[in-house]
Amino acid sequence: MTLPRDLDNNAAALRAAMVKTLTDAGAGLHLHPAWLAAAAKVPRHLFVPGFYLPSDESDGTGLTLWEPVTSRLDYGRWLATAYSDATLITQFDGEETDWERPASRRGGAPTSSSTLPSLVLRMWSDADVGEGHTVLEVGTGTGYSTALACERLGSSHVASVEVDAVRLGGAADALYGCGYTPTLARADGMYGYWPEAWFDRIVAACSFRSVPSALLRQTRPGGKVLLPLSGWLYGNARVLLTVAGDGTAEGPLLPGTISFMPARAHAAPAYGNPSDWAAGLHEERSRAARHAPERLTAATEEAFHLRFLAQSAVPDAQMVTVDGVLHLIDVVSGSATTLTPEGGAWSVREGGPLKLWSLIEQVIDGFEAAGRPGPETYTLRVDGEGQRLLHARMPQLRLRLRLPHGYR
């Protein structure tokens, strides 16, 4: 691909403007100056030769129209967007795009992206990475975040793993083209990367349903692991764990409403037609809901946090709303629940071995009784008893994170 001769000058100016914007917001974002200095040097545009942006138009079916953006299609838009503080979608549904001949697309689930720079810098800053540390990054993606780590620490101190071979190949080309030479490997981030262990810091750029034990075993005593946590209700949190010499780990949830794409091994399974699940509930007795579903579905920080707590109680449940009726579907236990609006209230029907909404209401009750504490007041402890969310004012709740079947 031939790029305009003035690319370097234009990119440098845009990069400087992006870093200035991030520096001005640095106090609120808690960005370490050393990471901002790295961002001033790493050419992000070289890691995103093509990406998708949502169109302002609608296709009339509710699906998002995605437009490809490359330097060939629109040089100015491509370069300016590369240096905006935005997440750039580079892959849908695990399918690669031919960026020489890209086409628009309708809908789809994003499976790879270049995360917005402020969040990348925040992750590295929150992980308390310092000079001389060796780091493992889980989820190479485009390689931009990896490049920042190489710029700050030196390539010999950085290892990065990626499950997608094509993604890894593109990242490797960009990294090596920029002069960065970290250790790169195609691997499932669930298992870390034993050939380079032990690490002082492990930072994940994808979310997990629970903490993979291999990552703790590959961290030096006193080292730290920063992980996004998510689940099938799409409640999200981040945790910064400090690993002890006996293999246990403990640390706080971090504040903020940040989400990452799930690790592919932790993605939710298909549940089919919600109406099929609801059909078996017609004979179940209904009751009035003590808490409305808006407690989880509202576009608020509290609802975002409550979804995370709720999925700790019902880790295999998924949630979807069809024609105003909310469905909770648990494909593992075969349980299902519907919440139907009735005259300003909600009617609940629950079937199967787990009473899904009842379990969620217990979490909300405890949350209310504790004074609605924010995520930063919780501690995650990983030890021989499992992975437990702890809160001094919610001792009666046994909130646990669980690994998918087949992982340890």
Side-chain angles (χ1 to χ4, degrees):
M1 180 182 295
T2 302
L3 300 177
R5 292 181 180 179
D6 62 351
L7 174 62
D8 288 343
N9 290 335
N10 290 344
L14 289 167
R15 184 163 59 251
M18 179 189 78
V19 172
K20 183 181 186 305
T21 298
L22 296 177
T23 300
D24 291 344
L29 295 173
H30 306 290
L31 305 182
H32 193 286
W35 290 110
L36 288 164
K41 297 179 180 179
V42 175
R44 190 189 187 204
H45 66 280
L46 297 181
F47 294 87
V48 284
F51 47 85
Y52 284 96
L53 293 177
S55 171
D56 293 333
E57 301 178 8
S58 172
D59 72 346
T61 66
L63 295 176
T64 301
L65 286 172
W66 295 95
E67 297 178 342
V69 179
T70 69
S71 65
R72 177 176 294 175
L73 292 172
D74 189 334
Y75 164 72
R77 187 187 190 195
W78 166 74
L79 191 61
T81 306
Y83 288 104
S84 65
D85 191 29
T87 292
L88 308 177
I89 306 300
T90 55
Q91 185 192 72
F92 288 90
D93 302 320
E95 301 170 357
E96 288 299 325
T97 296
D98 179 359
W99 292 112
E100 293 295 326
R101 292 175 292 276
S104 300
R105 61 173 298 137
R106 288 178 169 81
T111 48
S112 189
S113 67
S114 178
T115 302
L116 68 161
S118 62
L119 180 50
V120 173
L121 297 176
R122 184 173 175 183
M123 290 290 286
W124 285 123
S125 297
D126 285 345
D128 192 25
V129 178
E131 302 298 333
H133 282 161
T134 56
V135 302
L136 171 65
E137 176 189 44
V138 176
T140 312
T142 65
Y144 175 65
S145 176
T146 320
L148 291 169
C150 291
E151 183 65 43
R152 167 84 193 278
L153 302 172
S155 297
S156 63
H157 288 251
V158 180
S160 185
V161 295
E162 170 62 49
V163 72
D164 187 312
V166 176
R167 295 280 89 199
L168 185 65
D173 289 343
L175 285 161
Y176 298 153
C178 292
Y180 302 119
T181 56
T183 296
L184 299 175
R186 184 189 180 191
D188 186 336
M190 285 286 303
Y191 302 107
Y193 191 61
W194 281 107
E196 296 284 324
W198 291 345
F199 301 98
D200 295 299
R201 298 290 186 270
I202 295 180
V203 177
C206 58
S207 67
F208 294 95
R209 291 179 67 196
S210 57
V211 180
S213 59
L215 300 187
L216 301 183
R217 293 199 297 270
Q218 292 174 30
T219 304
R220 298 181 192 278
K224 297 182 180 182
V225 178
L226 178 58
L227 294 177
L229 298 170
S230 185
W232 295 350
L233 292 183
Y234 297 101
N236 296 270
R238 292 185 307 148
V239 64
L240 181 61
L241 295 168
T242 299
V243 180
D246 60 1
T248 63
E250 185 171 313
L253 300 188
L254 301 181
T257 54
I258 293 171
S259 63
F260 283 80
M261 294 178 188
R264 296 189 186 183
H266 284 199
Y271 51 75
N273 186 345
S275 297
D276 293 339
W277 291 87
L281 299 176
H282 293 325
E283 302 304 320
E284 298 289 339
R285 293 185 61 182
S286 66
R287 66 171 178 84
R290 291 189 292 105
H291 295 289
E294 288 88 356
R295 294 302 303 273
L296 303 187
T297 61
T300 65
E301 289 193 15
E302 181 177 282
F304 191 91
H305 174 47
L306 264 178
R307 279 203 303 277
F308 177 74
L309 298 181
Q311 71 194 10
S312 300
V314 290
D316 300 319
Q318 298 180 64
M319 182 168 57
V320 62
T321 299
V322 180
D323 296 330
V325 177
L326 184 140
H327 298 70
L328 287 167
I329 299 166
D330 183 336
V331 301
V332 176
S333 71
S335 304
T337 292
T338 59
L339 284 89
T340 306
E342 292 184 356
W346 290 85
S347 174
V348 180
R349 282 187 169 86
E350 299 175 298
L354 299 178
K355 307 306 180 187
L356 300 174
W357 193 248
S358 295
L359 291 169
I360 290 174
E361 286 183 322
Q362 290 176 23
V363 173
I364 298 175
D365 288 343
F367 178 74
E368 292 284 348
R372 300 186 173 188
E376 65 279 3
T377 63
Y378 293 77
T379 296
L380 178 62
R381 179 166 179 78
V382 183
D383 56 22
E385 296 185 40
Q387 302 189 18
R388 295 169 291 150
L389 277 174
L390 307 175
H391 196 284
R393 299 198 300 274
M394 300 173 69
Q396 76 281 14
L397 290 181
R398 297 177 60 83
L399 300 180
R400 295 178 179 269
L401 307 185
R402 305 184 204 174
L403 288 167
H405 178 71
Y407 286 102
R408 295 292 183 268

